[in-house]
Every structure is written in structure tokens, then in C-alpha cells.
Amino acid sequence: MVRTTVSVIKADVGSIAGHYKPHQKMLDLAKTILSEAEKVGLINSFYVYSVGDDIGLVLTHYKGENNPEIHALSWKVFKELTEKVAKPLKLYAAGQDLLSDAFSGNIRGMGPGVAELEFEERQSDPIVVFAADKTEPGAWNLPLYKIFADPFNTAGLVIDPKLRDGFVFEVLDVIEDKKVRLKTPEESYDLLALLGTTGRYCVSKVYRADGEPAAAASTNRLSLIAGKYVGKDDPVLIVRAQSGFPAIGEILAPFATPHLVAGWMRGSHNGPLMPVSCREAVISYFDGPPRVIAMGWQISDGKLVGVDGIEPADLFADPFWDYSRSIAAQLAIYMRTMGEFMPARLDPSEMEYTTLPQVLKKLESRFERS
Ligand code: F6R
Ligand code: MG
Ligand code: MG
């Protein structure tokens, strides 16, 4: 049986009005390049989206995860968007996430974020792709725990026999670059002990107890790749839904009470993650607050099937989420009352911008033993 792969590869290669939104010409050029790849059979289908200043490519194909041709295609898209649109139009931060000039076969570690999930199609296979701006991969830890391990969120864990055996979380230590697998519900407390440290431990994959792939997240940290802080890696997440996986409504539910995530203005603040429709996927107040969109498709014979052609179900467009957006706005304004005081401002080790070394240097001679 042929296995289908969903690859979501994203990068910020330039935007208009500062870090607000990419230019329409960039999205159009990405579509043109991917249409060619679809015609020659390299990919089966594709969708191009933007969230904040990031552009994401959702690709379906039969080539498996970490495939050099698929990664080379994505690299080519981002390179051309940079050279043919972002730079000529002097867009803001043109080419920002392309950290190297030489492509070596795998786009991981070169700047763009990658989440990939390969699986054998079921009778019917719904998926949700989440994409966030102004935050980092650890932002998925809390919702992923709720979706796959919290029986107060996911009713199926309690009342659906197909979910009762639980899930296995693959957790990456992004500082030491090693990973560990933990099984829920048996090892829930150990898992939570790690996942609470969102800047270091990130869920990279989730499997059902029988080994069936359930979710994949992007986990690279630009800062660690570049050796110095060059920004938070606005993350993406793919989740399979229904019939033996959590239902779409259980997958969306954790986002109803916006949790605080690291990122926001200058990648240096904690702010609420606001669920928004694809149309509202831009940032404004204090360069935020951090946003998340949720796009739903069916995967059918290796292709994305949306509500209208390739257009995804825009899962946070429902008026229900106005309530959550209002909570996020209130939390955002509240967090700003603290200015540059922790924990509204991040710990120095997590800040994208800091003047602390200069201040300490200036004051060096004036510090005395206490
Ligand atoms: C955060 C982000 C923005 C910028 C801010 C300052 O990830 O992209 O909040 O950090 O707008 O940008 P510069 O230094 O480019 O003026
Ligand atoms: Mg940007
Ligand atoms: Mg961004």
C-alpha cells in the first residue's frame, strides 16, 4: 500500500509594513513554481498560506519524509521569492530565514521550519494544519498534551474504545539535540515535567499506542542553528483526526483559553496565543499578539481536498472563537502593563533583543562588593 506524506515547510523571507504580512506577489510566485512541480508529478497537490510574516507550503506527495527532492523544491520556492520579489521590492527582512546559500539535500537546519507526516491513508483521513506567528515550537506543548493526553479535553480518551490505549509523545531536547519517547497515560507526569519547559523540550511527533502516526510539529530553533539569536521559529503542526484519533473539535478545544507563549514583540515577551481565521492572520498590537490559524482538509488518494477545491476549512473562523479572541486581547493588554519586567518580558537567555551586555559593561567599574 502506497503511503502518503504531508509536508509543511515554512519561512519568513520578507514582508510589507514591517513584519505584518508577505506581499501577494510572493504567494502568487510560490503557486506558479509549485504548479510546475505538480504537473511533472513531483508533488500530488499543494496549498500556499500566510500567517503574519510567514509563508507556508503544504505539499502532499508519495516520496516520504526528509525527501531531498521535496526539500529542494521548497528551498527553491523560498529562494526565488526572496530574489525575484522580496529583494526587488525592498520588502522588510527579505530572505530573513534562509541562513545559508548552499542547499545540501535537507532543508532542516537551514532556517525554514518543517513538519512532515507519512501514513497509510484510511478509508477517510481528515487532517488539521496549525500555523502560528510570533512564537516558537514549544507553544504546541500545552495544546498537544491536552489533545492527546488530557481526558478533560478529549472525551474519546475516556469513552471511545479506539483511543483508550493512549499515545506516545516524542520529545526533543532542542538544546542538547536528543529525543525521548514517553507513553501516556502511564508516563503523563514525566511527560509534563519535560513539556512545561517550553523553550527546551518540544513535542516533535505523536504516535498512537499501536504506532500509527498522529501528529508532527516543526521543532528547529533558528537561534541554535545560527549560533546567535536570529528570531523565534514561528511553528507549524500537522494533526490527524477522527476514527481512532481525537475529533476535530477535541483538537481545536485547547485553543479556546489562550495560553501564554514566548515570542511576540522582538521575540522577547510572553503573550497569549490568539486563534484567528486565515483572513485575520496578521499581527498588529505590539507586533501581535501571537496568532494561530487552523486549516482543515481531507487527504484523498494522495491529495489535499478542501471545502472549495484546495481551499481549506478555516477552522477558527467560527464566531465561537470571538470569545477566545476577546480573552486574548484582554490578556495582551494586561501583560503590557508590566512593561519590561519578567515574566511579561522573557528570561535574558530567551530574548531576541537585549541591551543587558552593554548596560553591564558600562556599569562594570561602578559595581562594588556588597
Ligand atoms: C518578532 C518580530 C518583530 C520585530 C520588531 C522589531 O519576531 O519579528 O516583533 O522583532 O518589529 O524589528 P526590527 O528590529 O526589524 O525593527
Ligand atoms: Mg519578519
Ligand atoms: Mg513570523
Side-chain angles (χ1 to χ4, degrees):
M1 180 72 189
V2 59
R3 289 166 73 82
T4 301
T5 302
V6 180
S7 300
V8 184
I9 304 184
K10 48 77 44 186
D12 173 357
V13 289
S15 44
I16 55 160
H19 297 276
Y20 179 73
K21 195 180 181 171
H23 196 286
Q24 185 58 39
K25 278 191 179 159
M26 298 167 85
L27 304 175
D28 293 343
L29 179 57
K31 286 179 203 165
T32 306
I33 300 169
L34 294 175
S35 296
E36 289 302 316
E38 190 182 48
K39 260 186 225 143
V40 299
L42 177 56
I43 52 175
N44 301 338
S45 67
F46 69 87
Y47 185 73
V48 180
Y49 69 84
S50 70
V51 55
D53 51 9
D54 292 299
I55 290 181
L57 318 175
V58 183
L59 313 173
T60 65
H61 53 91
Y62 290 137
K63 295 185 176 295
E65 297 174 18
N66 293 312
N67 179 272
E69 287 178 90
I70 299 296
H71 284 216
L73 170 66
S74 309
W75 182 258
K76 180 180 160 186
V77 170
F78 291 121
K79 201 76 195 154
E80 293 209 6
L81 300 191
T82 302
E83 300 303 330
K84 295 192 174 156
V85 187
K87 283 187 180 169
L89 289 179
K90 290 178 68 179
L91 297 189
Y92 202 66
Q96 175 187 285
D97 285 356
L98 306 184
L99 300 182
S100 162
D101 273 338
F103 179 72
S104 59
N106 194 313
I107 206 165
R108 282 179 203 272
M110 302 195 67
V114 184
E116 299 187 293
L117 202 59
E118 182 188 1
F119 53 88
E120 194 176 305
E121 278 179 32
R122 296 171 290 163
Q123 176 64 25
S124 182
D125 230 300
I127 62 158
V128 182
V129 173
F130 291 97
D133 187 44
K134 298 290 176 276
T135 184
E136 59 178 11
W140 303 135
N141 285 5
L142 188 151
L144 277 173
Y145 183 84
K146 284 190 172 174
I147 294 165
F148 289 105
D150 179 1
F152 279 81
N153 179 81
T154 298
L157 294 169
V158 183
I159 64 174
D160 180 350
K162 294 195 288 297
L163 269 76
R164 286 203 65 128
D165 291 339
F167 289 87
V168 176
F169 286 68
E170 181 182 273
V171 181
L172 194 68
D173 174 344
V174 295
I175 307 281
E176 293 200 7
D177 201 15
K178 55 187 186 185
K179 58 190 180 187
V180 62
R181 286 189 181 200
L182 292 164
K183 168 78 175 56
T184 58
E186 298 88 326
E187 297 180 295
S188 302
Y189 296 167
D190 290 344
L191 178 64
L192 284 171
L194 297 184
L195 295 192
T197 307
T198 47
R200 174 158 191 169
Y201 300 103
C202 304
V203 180
S204 46
K205 283 267 165 82
V206 181
Y207 300 90
R208 204 164 55 193
D210 63 3
E212 191 59 27
S218 58
T219 45
N220 54 314
R221 280 190 69 178
L222 276 180
S223 48
L224 302 174
I225 298 164
K228 70 178 186 61
Y229 216 126
V230 293
K232 297 263 180 241
D233 322 294
D234 306 314
V236 289
L237 170 68
I238 310 167
V239 185
R240 291 173 80 196
Q242 308 288 153
S243 320
F245 292 114
I248 295 278
E250 291 166 335
I251 291 167
L252 301 179
F255 296 91
T257 41
H259 59 295
L260 297 176
V261 297
W264 206 359
M265 173 60 79
R266 297 177 195 276
S268 305
H269 298 85
N270 282 313
L273 186 62
M274 181 187 261
V276 292
S277 71
C278 296
R279 203 175 44 79
E280 294 164 330
V282 291
I283 48 106
S284 55
Y285 174 66
F286 198 59
D287 282 4
R291 306 276 152 133
V292 58
I293 57 172
M295 298 170 282
W297 285 279
Q298 292 294 128
I299 301 296
S300 179
D301 295 329
K303 291 186 180 159
L304 294 166
V305 173
V307 286
D308 180 11
I310 208 78
E311 281 304 311
D314 186 356
L315 297 165
F316 288 139
D318 182 83
F320 169 84
W321 300 95
D322 290 345
Y323 174 76
S324 308
R325 289 190 268 275
S326 162
I327 293 175
Q330 286 171 44
L331 287 172
I333 288 170
Y334 168 74
M335 293 300 280
R336 286 309 304 142
T337 62
M338 290 186 62
E340 297 314 291
F341 283 77
M342 289 171 66
R345 196 214 71 196
L346 298 182
D347 178 87
S349 64
E350 290 287 327
M351 289 167 67
E352 185 177 331
Y353 289 64
T354 181
T355 45
L356 190 62
Q358 288 106 295
V359 172
L360 285 174
K361 190 153 181 43
K362 196 175 92 190
L363 299 181
E364 208 172 5
S365 59
R366 288 164 54 189
F367 268 108
E368 322 169 1
R369 287 258 149 253
S370 59

